[in-house]
Each structure stands twice: as structure tokens, then as C-alpha cells.
Amino acid sequence: MKAETGISLVDLDEDGVDRAFRADVLKGLRQQQKAVPARWFYDEEGSRLFEQITRVAEYYPTRAETEILGAQGAQFADLIGPERAVVEFGSGSSVKTPLLLEAIAPAAYVPLDISGDFLRQSAAALAQKFPHLPVYPVEADFMRRVSLPDEVSALAKLGFFPGSTIGNMVPRTAVDLLRSMRATLGADEGESPMLLIGMDLVKDRAVLEAAYDDADGVTAAFNTNLVSRINRELGGTIDPAALEHSAVWNDDLARIEMHLRATRDFSFEVSGEKFSLRKGETIHTENSHKFTRRSAYTLLLAGGWTPVRRWLDEEERFSVILAIATEQREAP
Ligand code: AVI
């Protein structure tokens, strides 16, 4: 097992503040509709709360996707074949990743993640579980093209992107990512790469809104933790008690939107800059797009991936799609 680099990708200023975090938060708070990108949820506490979300009764995606990965191993093996290098976009879950690796007997496993610590921990756990499988963690931002280790250059690739994380991106960003994945996996060299991707489905509004506003308040705590992070890391003075969690289905855009809504008028500072919110105004913190079969296929095709097969869980709440990097003809 080797890490490509020991250098952290996080760019800190002289006070130890993550420059990208500060830039994103200040830019987002200056907008008419205040917004902070969802990637900033995941500090240590945010990652812990997300793990907790995956176990709450209302949040079905993790259970539904795990069910599919557990049930369809024989079909994955048939369609994907053995001896590929599995390239996971993200650190890998201790439950989902082993289900895939057990099913398809790959020749190598390459997790890609921007967070080195988390990446190394989960790669080490996987290496222990699969002692004969070469594991090559790469610390990198997979939103851009990543150079894979030389050790896997001759192998055909399978990209793995579970969790419906693609749904947290607006369509334009999702297409950019799908294109970057093609480049990372070497779509123009050797055997065509394949992609196994989890995409959550459009369903009843009440089921969706409950999944993002659970009765125990775990998702609310996850949302509010962003405020604690801004206050702690960026010298923020936001009163968390003046904001409430909100999760609403936007039917036109087929997405759940999470917001933090002001319960009264108030002013605050972040990194010395002044802001204010009127009662009822919100900070938009996350989109979670949901897909139909057609909208999922259209997105994949726009990103250069042709769908091969699609699987659902028993209750038809979630989809896992296998696609291949073959370009479509430009015209009929
Ligand atoms: C990580 N991502 C796919 C989750 C989702 O369902 O959009 C994040 C999440 N936010 C609130 N609950 C879960």
C-alpha cells in the first residue's frame, strides 16, 4: 500500500485558516440568496453526524443502496468481469466497498479522496480485509482529472461512485465531474472504462422531506454544525439559536434543498465582515437531486457515459447504474 503524496491538499493561511473555506463562505454570504457549498459540512463532527444520518430510520438511501450491492454481485461479476482496477471516487465505505470487491475479484483498488487522514484510515481497513488485493490510495481532488498510480496503468478500470453524491451537484457540475472521471479512468486509452454509480430516485415528497428532516434531529444537527464550524474556524459570531433547519422538496428542479432559516432579524460577522439576515431569510446549504430513469440516463450520457444496466432495491427507492465510457454518435 502506498500513498502518492504525504503533502496535504488543504491550503492554510498564516493563522491556520483554510483559505478555500473562507473564500467560499464569504462569497456565499455576500449573495442575495446566501449559500455555503455542501462540501464544507464534513469537518470531523460533520462526518460523524453524516455517519449517524445513514442509520436513522427515515434516511433510506444507504440501506437501499447496500441492499442492491449485496443482492446483485453475480450480475456485477458477469457484466464487469474480473481483474479490473476499481477506482473509488471517495474514501470508501466499510460496508459498501467490500460488497463490490467481493463480487468482482478486481486486480487492484484505488480510493481517491481529498482528505488524506480519512483516506489512509479507510484504505488500511480495506487492505486488512482483503490482504491479497493491492490497495493504492491517492490523495487528490477527484473533481479534476487525477493521475492514477503506474501500478494500475495496464489494467482496465471500473469507477465506483456510490451514495448518490452526484446528486449533491447541480447538473453542470455533475457533467463536469462525469467528464473528469472519464479522463481519470483513461477513456481514450485501452479498454473502455466502466462506472458503477448510485443515484437516488424521485419519490413521494413526504418520504423525501422526512429523510432530510428526521424526527431525532440528526440532520438538523448536521446542518447546524456548519454554523459551529464557521464560528470556530472563521471567527464567526452567528447565533446558532437564531437559525432553524429546513429541508424542502423543489419539484421544478427535482431536489431536496437544505437551508438554515433565520427565526428573527439578526446581524453577524465572519472573518471581520458584517452580514445580516431578516426573519425568514435563509442560508442555502445543500441540494440533493433525485433522478428518474430518464433523467439519470440523460445526465450520464451528457457526461460521456452510456448506461448498460440499472438495478433497484426491493422497494424501488434507489438505483445503481452500470455505464461504459463509449461516446454516442453525434447524429442518428
Ligand atoms: C452525501 N450525500 C449524498 C447526502 C445526501 O443524501 O444528499 C448528504 C446528506 N445531507 C443530508 N442528509 C444526507
Side-chain angles (χ1 to χ4, degrees):
M1 200 176 89
K2 87 170 197 333
E4 190 183 59
T5 134
I7 303 161
S8 168
L9 296 169
V10 179
D11 178 19
L12 304 178
D13 73 3
E14 52 291 345
D15 300 320
V17 176
D18 185 327
R19 291 181 207 271
F21 180 40
R22 184 174 50 213
D24 273 358
V25 170
L26 291 177
K27 182 172 169 217
L29 292 178
R30 287 176 196 137
Q31 293 170 179
Q32 175 83 10
Q33 168 60 68
K34 295 184 178 5
V36 177
R39 62 185 278 233
W40 300 111
F41 277 135
Y42 300 93
D43 64 353
E44 211 179 312
E45 177 64 358
S47 302
R48 191 191 68 74
L49 285 164
F50 178 64
E51 275 301 311
Q52 215 178 316
I53 287 174
T54 64
R55 292 190 296 272
V56 303
E58 297 92 332
Y59 191 78
Y60 60 85
T62 309
R63 281 187 300 280
E65 186 177 45
T66 305
E67 179 193 317
I68 299 168
L69 294 172
Q72 305 300 347
Q75 289 202 28
F76 297 157
D78 239 30
L79 293 162
I80 297 164
E83 298 295 314
R84 285 195 181 241
V86 172
V87 178
E88 180 155 4
F89 296 90
S91 266
S93 119
S94 57
V95 180
K96 293 180 204 172
T97 307
L99 289 171
L100 175 67
L101 299 180
E102 266 154 26
I104 65 166
Y109 173 63
V110 186
L112 314 178
D113 204 301
I114 199 161
S115 155
D117 289 348
F118 200 47
L119 175 71
R120 279 183 285 276
Q121 269 171 33
S122 72
L126 259 160
Q128 213 174 22
K129 210 162 190 164
F130 296 89
H132 302 297
L133 178 69
V135 177
Y136 305 105
V138 177
E139 193 173 338
D141 176 5
F142 62 68
M143 298 301 290
R144 310 213 171 94
R145 186 206 171 123
V146 177
S147 307
L148 298 181
D150 292 344
E151 288 87 337
V152 302
S153 60
L155 299 171
K157 314 288 186 306
L158 171 74
F160 184 41
F161 195 40
S164 200
T165 302
I166 192 93
N168 293 133
M169 294 158 212
V170 295
R172 179 181 163 177
T173 312
V175 168
D176 286 349
L177 172 60
L178 290 166
R179 292 259 156 210
S180 296
M181 286 174 165
R182 277 177 59 94
T184 296
L185 299 173
D188 300 320
E189 310 139 26
E191 196 174 336
S192 287
M194 299 183 99
L195 177 68
L196 190 66
I197 184 168
M199 298 178 82
D200 195 11
L201 297 174
V202 171
K203 57 183 66 62
D204 196 67
R205 171 192 283 263
V207 175
L208 285 167
E209 289 184 346
Y212 291 82
D213 192 7
D214 59 282
D216 288 343
V218 182
T219 311
F222 174 72
N223 200 4
T224 308
N225 179 59
L226 185 61
V227 171
S228 313
R229 183 175 189 187
I230 292 171
N231 285 349
R232 187 178 63 248
E233 295 185 25
L234 303 179
T237 61
I238 307 171
D239 176 6
L243 291 165
E244 65 186 6
H245 169 68
S246 138
V248 185
W249 174 245
N250 179 331
D251 197 51
D252 285 344
L253 297 177
R255 69 193 193 191
I256 284 282
E257 293 184 4
M258 293 208 320
H259 293 252
L260 289 162
R261 178 181 299 109
T263 54
R264 58 175 169 80
D265 294 356
F266 71 104
S267 302
F268 57 94
E269 286 189 11
V270 174
S271 287
E273 196 169 324
K274 292 187 181 3
F275 300 95
S276 61
L277 277 167
R278 306 295 297 264
K279 182 177 176 180
E281 279 186 332
T282 69
I283 305 174
H284 186 176
T285 51
E286 188 180 62
N287 293 315
S288 194
H289 293 84
K290 308 300 169 187
F291 303 92
T292 61
R293 177 172 50 85
R294 290 190 178 116
S295 70
Y297 284 7
T298 303
L299 188 67
L300 288 168
L301 288 166
W305 293 94
T306 302
V308 172
R309 187 75 64 88
R310 172 179 179 263
W311 297 271
L312 306 182
D313 60 304
E314 281 283 330
E315 290 180 47
E316 307 195 346
R317 294 166 297 179
F318 196 94
S319 67
V320 171
I321 299 171
L322 181 67
I324 188 160
T326 47
E327 283 293 351
Q328 291 283 291
R329 285 185 297 167
E330 295 294 322

